[in-house]
Amino acid sequence: RARMYRPMAQTLCGDGMFVVLPRVGGAGAGLEDILGDFHQAVQWVFENADNFGGDARRVHLLGYGAGAHLCTMYSLVVPLKTWYAQADRIAPGAQLLSTARADQALRSWLKRIRRVQRPVAGLILVSGVFDIAGQRKYEAERCIEHLSATCRTFGALDDAEAWSPSAIVRSLRRRSAFIPAELFASSVLLIHGRRDSTFVLQQSQRLFRELCEIDVPDVNMKIYANLRRVDPSIALLAPASALAQSLLEDIRSSVSPSGSGAQGAQGHGGNDASAPPQDQGQAQASIEHTQEQAPDEHSQAPVENSQSQEAQTTDSGPRRRTRPDRDYFPHANLIASKS
C-alpha cells in the first residue's frame, strides 16, 4: 500500500517537507497490533528526524480515512495515561468510559505501550472515522456492515467506545479532565467532503466539536461542499490541478502558519510534516466552507466562499467569534472558539 502514497509523498517533498510512509500491520494483524506498529513508526521519526535534516519539534501527522483514526489515537495516549494514573491514585480502577468492557479494552491497550511518547506538533486529518459506534450504525442502515472492514477491524460493538476518539475526548471532558497543551497536538486541521458516503461528514464534525470544547489551541475544519471522498493520495497525483493546489495550501497553512512551507519530518498514517511551534495562549477554532464549481472532484477548481464559518482573515489576523453561527452553514453543528 505504501506505493499508493509515493506520488503524494513526492509532491509534499517537492514542497519542502520530509515524508515518512510507515508500513503498519500485516496479514492477520489486529487493531492493537496496527496501533502498536504505528506508535513505533512515529517514535522512529522523532528519534531519527535530525539525521535527515528534520526537526523533531515540528513533526505533524497526516492521516486519511483509517489513517486519520491512527493519528488521533496516537495523540490521545499521553492524555489517557495521565488521566488513568491520576484517577487511580484517588480511586483504584477508576472508569473513564461509559461501559466497563470498553474501559478495560482501553486500559489493556494502554498497558501495551511501554515507551512514553512525545506529542506531535499537529494533526492533519482527512476524511477520517472517529466514532466507531456511529459508523457501525450508519453501515447497518445501508446494509453494508458485512462488506465493510469496520466490523472486522474494530471488533465487538461493546468495545467501540474504546476505539472512538470522539467518545474518548468527550469522556475526558465530562470528567472535567484538563489536558495540558504540552500533552496534545497544538494544532488540528480536519478536512472532509460534505458528500462523503464512506465516512460521513458528521464523523469529523463530532471530533471538531469535542476538540474545541477541551480548548485545543488551534482547531480548524475545512469542508468541500460538493466532493465525496477527499483522498490526498489521488488528488496529489496531479499537483497542478486545482484540487491538489487547494489541499497543498491546506497542508502548508497547517504546517506553517505563515503559509510558506517548512522543513521537518513527515510520516503517513498518513504523514508527518513540520511546523513552527504554535502560540499556546490562544484557542482558535474555525470552519471553512469550500464550494466546488462542478461535481468532478479531481479536475475542477474549488472556489472558496468569501466568508469563513468562524474565522475571517483580515490584515490583522483571524477574527474569532465567541458563539456558533448556524445560519451561514446549517448542515454542520458548529462550536466556536472560547475567548
Side-chain angles (χ1 to χ4, degrees), residues 10-185:
Q10 291 169 348
T11 299
L12 293 174
C13 287
D15 211 52
M17 307 174 195
F18 290 101
V19 180
V20 177
L21 300 176
R23 181 175 296 176
V24 299
L31 177 61
E32 294 188 26
D33 297 323
I34 296 172
L35 287 167
D37 288 351
F38 183 70
H39 282 71
Q40 291 184 27
V42 178
Q43 288 302 311
W44 183 91
V45 172
F46 276 118
E47 294 167 4
N48 293 275
D50 293 339
N51 296 336
F52 49 85
D55 186 346
R57 298 169 301 176
R58 297 162 61 185
V59 175
H60 281 61
L61 301 179
L62 187 157
Y64 159 68
H69 175 270
L70 291 178
C71 295
T72 313
M73 291 297 290
Y74 174 92
S75 295
L76 287 171
V77 168
V78 173
L80 284 170
K81 278 182 169 285
T82 302
W83 186 89
Y84 277 116
Q86 294 175 346
D88 285 344
R89 292 194 194 104
I90 301 171
Q95 183 174 315
L96 173 65
L97 303 181
S98 60
T99 67
R101 177 168 174 169
D103 198 78
Q104 187 57 42
L106 185 59
R107 277 181 175 268
S108 176
W109 169 59
L110 291 171
K111 287 178 181 178
R112 293 182 58 177
I113 302 175
R114 303 289 184 183
R115 182 183 298 182
V116 177
Q117 57 188 11
R118 298 169 58 180
V120 294
L123 301 173
I124 304 171
L125 309 174
V126 185
S127 303
V129 54
F130 310 108
D131 178 359
I132 306 306
Q135 180 66 17
R136 295 278 295 274
K137 180 181 178 182
Y138 170 73
E139 292 173 355
E141 290 173 348
R142 300 179 67 205
C143 300
I144 60 171
E145 66 272 25
H146 299 301
L147 302 176
S148 170
T150 306
C151 181
R152 298 191 301 273
T153 303
F154 295 102
L157 191 57
D158 292 341
D159 296 342
E161 189 179 7
W163 314 118
S164 299
S166 296
I168 292 171
V169 176
R170 182 169 62 248
S171 294
L172 288 169
R173 174 174 58 81
R174 288 179 174 176
R175 282 154 182 76
S176 301
F178 171 70
I179 301 179
E182 64 271 14
L183 297 185
F184 194 79

Side-chain angles (χ1 to χ4, degrees), residues 226 246 283:
N226 293 325
S246 179

Side-chain angles (χ1 to χ4, degrees), residues 271-327:
N271 312 41
D272 314 336
S274 58
Q278 301 286 332
D279 179 4
Q280 303 285 339
Q282 287 184 310
Q284 171 181 325
S286 68
I287 282 189
E288 182 177 351
H289 178 202
T290 298
Q291 300 202 359
E292 303 290 329
Q293 292 285 7
D296 183 350
E297 50 194 86
H298 298 305
S299 61
Q300 296 298 320
V303 179
E304 297 185 2
N305 195 302
S306 60
Q307 298 180 1
S308 65
Q309 175 61 31
E310 296 191 35
Q312 296 177 342
T313 302
T314 64
D315 292 339
S316 59
R319 184 188 310 157
R320 298 175 182 85
R321 301 180 181 178
T322 56
R323 63 178 180 81
D325 182 358
R326 300 175 186 270
D327 295 333

